[in-house]
Amino acid sequence: MLKAIIIDDEPDCVALMALQLKAHCPGVRVVLQTTQPEEGLEAIRDMEPDLVFLDVEMPRMNGFSLLEKLDEIPLGLIFVTAYNEFALKAFRFSALDYLLKPINSTHLCEAVRKAEKRQRTDSRQLDMLRYQLKEGQLPSKIAVPFQSGVVFVELKELVYCQADSNYTRLFLTNGKNYLLSKTLRDVQEVLEERNFLRVHRQYLINLEHIKMYHKGDGSYLVMTGDVTLPLAKNQKDRLVEKFGWL
């Protein structure tokens, strides 16, 4: 049974989430629900919860300010937000879980299931997210969670991404690769504004790492490391738009 704390300055949101957890997540027991971040902070210290649902924007003390006052970050941390699409992309770059208001019960259950498996949140993920939300720009790296933690990948070192069923494998310039528990479409949504292009149903590439384009039937691209990747016919025009020399 996971002990959970809900911290949100909107009473209706707190009450609704508590009801949804009770109805849909029997493995979660809410030990405190509060609209006062100061009370929530003390409860985290005293009760040592397994899971904290934390509103990002609150008066007097926002979610980040609260976390800065903790020596350790709670095992399971799920942000609750009403942010816009840019901010949601920032959450994805940081590989931090979030729930968008109004809370959807299906998404809530998915977040709880992920929290049950997840390791402790890495403080660098919070630093990355805070920078993005403050500066209004996406960072030069992406957080990639894996079984024993989080690895931070420089986008300039990411050559291409390959679909692997419901997962995505990331291939780097140093020859290493990481399996990400996201679909290629999910990864595309995050990286498409950062000079990446979906060139095939199975591949998303970093345009900075194209070495050669081979025309004709069976068009293909040669990437850094001399990796050969197919180019779908319906994606050629998008490649032309990016470079203008085909």
Side-chain angles (χ1 to χ4, degrees):
M1 180 73 72
L2 296 179
K3 294 190 300 183
I5 289 176
I6 304 171
I7 308 172
D8 192 316
D9 66 303
E10 299 180 38
D12 290 344
C13 291
V14 172
L16 179 58
M17 180 175 290
L19 288 173
Q20 288 176 306
L21 286 169
K22 184 177 181 179
H24 303 289
C25 304
V28 177
R29 178 169 62 93
V30 177
V31 294
L32 178 74
Q33 44 185 314
T34 180
T35 59
Q36 305 299 319
E38 296 85 357
E39 181 183 9
L41 175 61
E42 291 304 314
I44 292 173
R45 290 169 172 162
D46 296 339
M47 298 180 177
E48 298 183 351
D50 303 299
L51 188 57
V52 174
F53 295 91
L54 181 62
D55 190 13
V56 178
E57 286 298 326
M58 296 181 289
R60 300 189 310 280
M61 184 190 300
N62 66 27
F64 293 115
S65 299
L66 185 153
L67 293 171
E68 287 174 353
K69 298 181 183 297
L70 294 171
D71 294 328
E72 290 186 321
I73 301 169
L75 176 61
L77 179 62
I78 300 176
F79 284 103
V80 182
T81 179
Y83 270 123
N84 59 24
E85 182 57 35
F86 168 81
L88 300 186
K89 193 164 290 189
F91 278 100
R92 295 169 189 155
F93 260 83
S94 307
L96 285 164
D97 276 343
Y98 67 91
L99 291 168
L100 185 62
K101 295 180 180 179
I103 305 300
N104 176 285
S105 59
T106 300
H107 295 163
L108 176 61
C109 293
E110 290 175 356
V112 169
R113 281 196 293 269
K114 289 166 60 178
E116 291 175 328
K117 301 176 183 178
R118 190 174 54 240
Q119 301 293 321
R120 188 176 297 276
T121 302
D122 192 307
S123 60
R124 290 174 294 176
Q125 293 172 267
L126 293 171
D127 291 339
M128 184 186 295
L129 176 62
R130 181 165 39 209
Y131 169 78
Q132 293 172 77
L133 297 180
K134 181 180 179 182
E135 300 297 327
Q137 60 186 31
L138 295 173
S140 61
K141 63 178 63 176
I142 185 171
V144 179
F146 61 102
Q147 188 171 10
S148 58
V150 179
V151 63
F152 295 84
V153 175
E154 292 282 351
L155 292 182
K156 64 182 179 181
E157 297 175 359
L158 177 53
V159 180
Y160 69 97
C161 309
Q162 181 179 3
D164 188 348
S165 186
N166 289 324
Y167 296 83
T168 298
R169 194 169 293 277
L170 311 182
F171 292 84
L172 309 185
T173 54
N174 61 9
K176 292 183 178 180
N177 67 82
Y178 297 96
L179 188 65
L180 180 62
S181 59
K182 300 283 186 182
T183 66
L184 189 59
R185 181 180 294 276
D186 291 334
V187 177
Q188 179 183 351
E189 289 179 0
V190 174
L191 296 181
E192 61 188 355
E193 296 177 8
R194 301 307 302 267
N195 214 31
F196 281 73
L197 180 67
R198 183 80 171 263
V199 296
H200 187 272
R201 62 182 178 82
Q202 281 192 288
Y203 297 102
L204 175 74
I205 68 167
N206 186 340
L207 295 173
E208 296 294 332
H209 284 288
I210 294 179
K211 292 176 60 178
M212 186 181 78
Y213 164 64
H214 183 273
K215 296 182 180 181
D217 293 336
S219 298
Y220 64 85
L221 302 167
V222 179
M223 307 295 294
T224 295
D226 294 326
V227 177
T228 300
L229 301 179
L231 173 64
K233 291 181 179 180
N234 60 356
Q235 291 300 91
K236 178 181 175 181
D237 289 343
R238 293 192 65 196
L239 199 61
V240 170
E241 291 175 9
K242 293 288 185 180
F243 290 102
W245 40 249
L246 298 180

